[in-house]
Amino acid sequence: MMENGKSDNISKYTSENGGKVLLLFLLFLIALYQLITMGITGFAIVCMLPAVALYAIFAMRHKMITFWTLFVINYFVMFLNRYSYMPVPVSMPNEVLEIILLAIAIIDAKSLHLGRVANIMFFALVIWCGFCTIEVLNDTCDLGIDIASWFSGARLMAFQLMYAYLVCIIYISTPKRVTTFLRLWAALSLFAAFWAWKQQHIGFTSIEKAWLVYGARTHIVNGITRYFSIFSDAANLGCNMAASAVAFFIVSVSHKSICWKERIFFFITGLACTWTMFASGTRTAIFCFAFGVSIYVFLSKSFKIAIPVTIVFGFFMFILVFTTIGQGNSMIRRMRSAFNKEDASLGTREINQTAMKKYMQDAPWGIGISRNLGNVPANNKYRKVSVTAPDSEYVFIWVHTGIIGITTFIVTTMMMFLGACIIVFFKLKNKSLQGIGAAFCCAFAAIHLGGYGNQILMQFPNVLIFYGGLAVVYILPHIENEYDGLEKDIISKREERKRLIAEKQRASRD
């Protein structure tokens, strides 16, 4: 009787839940197959599918939590990867969250202001993504069309830019979200600065030491250690911190509506980023910082701001270039070498790029986005180009997409940058919003100069922060009226607080 009862229960469960059981069984078979054929990566991806489905449901109900989760993961993904905490490809968490957010935006189109998406930056990115899509047909190396390798390269070179633009312009749609974006960016930058300080004064972890010894010998130069914090490398850290410092200094100076404590917070964050920039030993970062400041002098439209900023920055650069003050400090000594025209590393880059030019004359479309060190054979004409370190994001794009590609990239980049500058200079009337817009524009310009000197532009966390930040500039005119109301409310509350304090002081004296 008991056996019959058990049999009946099993039959009943199977009839009621047969579809779910079958689905789980099929998922297990797929995971097992992926484990055998692809290893842990494929297995982990398949096993994550139920979790992704559950998170998608959660994300539908809590859109902004999903966005801020993306922002934080984007910042820490290289740090987690160094410690082998990433069982999936590095870019996958970002892409999954971005696709979920974009899917939510399509489903909930009315409440997310999708009409604001179409602007100069969007069309510039469409052109660039379209060009990189055409590159799938590029067979300069005569090796055939490799769609899988092309897609892998195009994701990082083009599509991630569009993802970052879309999620930021759709979700950073209110004044409070813009402020939260800046605060969270500042908090993450402070953590990066802290970790660099920790590496310098407390020491590296065992994994970081192993990485320094075996994977990054360029990080100890003439006895000077270049600190990399939670970033992929010191160059990425230095350029990111330079651009971030510019943004936070501008916000602290120009954002009048926030309280003085918050302005001090942004200013201290700017100082921390500047120190970290020096700790990275990335000489290009000095020029990134200088370029960002010079752009702000123009965008500020204020002699009261432009003159003192120019004087302070000019004095700083004069000390660095024309004096030996601080030469005993290894970080300052390393940065000062950026102005040495006879520096050996600079000469090596010029030699490499001169050699590349000879090959690239016959490749106006580049060697192809799908071509890299691993899939260009030794007997191929373009093997040397594929294995030579580009040492620059712009050179990397030139090698893979040719003179046509790098021209397209520069033109589209200038389109989106100048479009944002026009908004700041002509369209925005609110001074605080002008400052926020200028901060994003100057940071974008600074990181691009860093990309010219180092291959860091498409590295994590730069795309979401700087391309996403520039996207926010395009949303500012749409929220200016709302921001004016919020600013007036903040100022009125501040004045009311002052009045109450004054009354209490008078009452205590009486």
Side-chain angles (χ1 to χ4, degrees), residues 427-430 433 476-485:
K427 292 187 177 181
L428 295 176
K429 306 303 179 185
N430 185 285
L433 280 188
L476 295 181
H478 297 284
I479 64 173
E480 187 166 22
N481 290 335
E482 185 181 353
Y483 191 90
D484 286 337

Side-chain angles (χ1 to χ4, degrees), residues 8 25 51 66 97 102 114 221 241 281 326 346 402:
D8 290 340
F25 182 70
T66 304
L97 289 172
L102 293 177
L114 290 180
V221 182
M241 289 292 107
L346 297 177

Side-chain angles (χ1 to χ4, degrees), residues 209-354:
K209 287 178 182 177
W211 185 81
L212 273 173
V213 172
Y214 298 108
R217 295 178 181 176
T218 56
H219 284 58
I220 301 177
V221 182
N222 298 324
I224 300 173
T225 302
R226 299 177 62 199
Y227 299 96
F228 48 88
S229 185
I230 61 174
F231 282 59
S232 59
D233 55 71
N236 190 8
L237 174 68
C239 295
N240 180 288
M241 289 292 107
S244 300
V246 170
F248 296 132
F249 281 136
I250 292 172
V251 171
S252 70
V253 168
S254 61
H255 202 353
K256 304 293 184 183
S257 63
I258 58 177
C259 68
W260 63 270
K261 291 180 181 179
E262 196 158 11
R263 293 178 71 179
I264 291 175
F265 167 70
F266 284 118
F267 185 79
I268 291 174
T269 305
L271 289 177
C273 289
T274 304
W275 176 87
T276 310
M277 174 189 77
F278 277 91
S280 74
T282 305
R283 296 171 297 185
T284 306
I286 285 288
F287 299 103
C288 296
F289 188 83
F291 189 50
V293 171
S294 64
I295 295 293
Y296 178 61
V297 169
F298 171 74
L299 288 178
S300 66
K301 296 190 298 183
S302 170
F303 287 108
K304 292 181 179 179
I305 293 176
I307 291 175
V309 167
T310 303
I311 291 173
V312 171
F313 185 71
F315 181 70
F316 167 75
M317 291 302 293
F318 176 82
I319 290 175
L320 197 63
V321 179
F322 298 106
T323 74
T324 58
I325 296 174
Q327 193 69 2
N329 185 288
S330 61
M331 295 189 297
I332 295 176
R333 191 165 62 250
R334 168 72 181 170
M335 289 299 190
R336 189 167 274 142
S337 67
F339 303 96
N340 180 9
K341 296 180 179 180
E342 298 179 359
D343 183 74
S345 64
L346 297 177
T348 302
R349 292 187 182 196
E350 292 178 2
I351 293 170
N352 287 343
Q353 291 173 18
T354 301

Side-chain angles (χ1 to χ4, degrees), residues 405-424:
I406 190 61
T407 301
T408 304
F409 180 73
I410 292 172
V411 169
T412 53
T413 298
M414 290 303 298
M415 284 172 61
M416 60 183 83
F417 174 66
L418 291 176
C421 289
I422 288 170
I423 289 173
V424 174

Side-chain angles (χ1 to χ4, degrees), residues 10 17 70 226 229 351 466 478 492:
I10 292 170
N17 301 281
L70 165 66
R226 299 177 62 199
S229 185
I351 293 170
F466 299 108
H478 297 284
S492 64

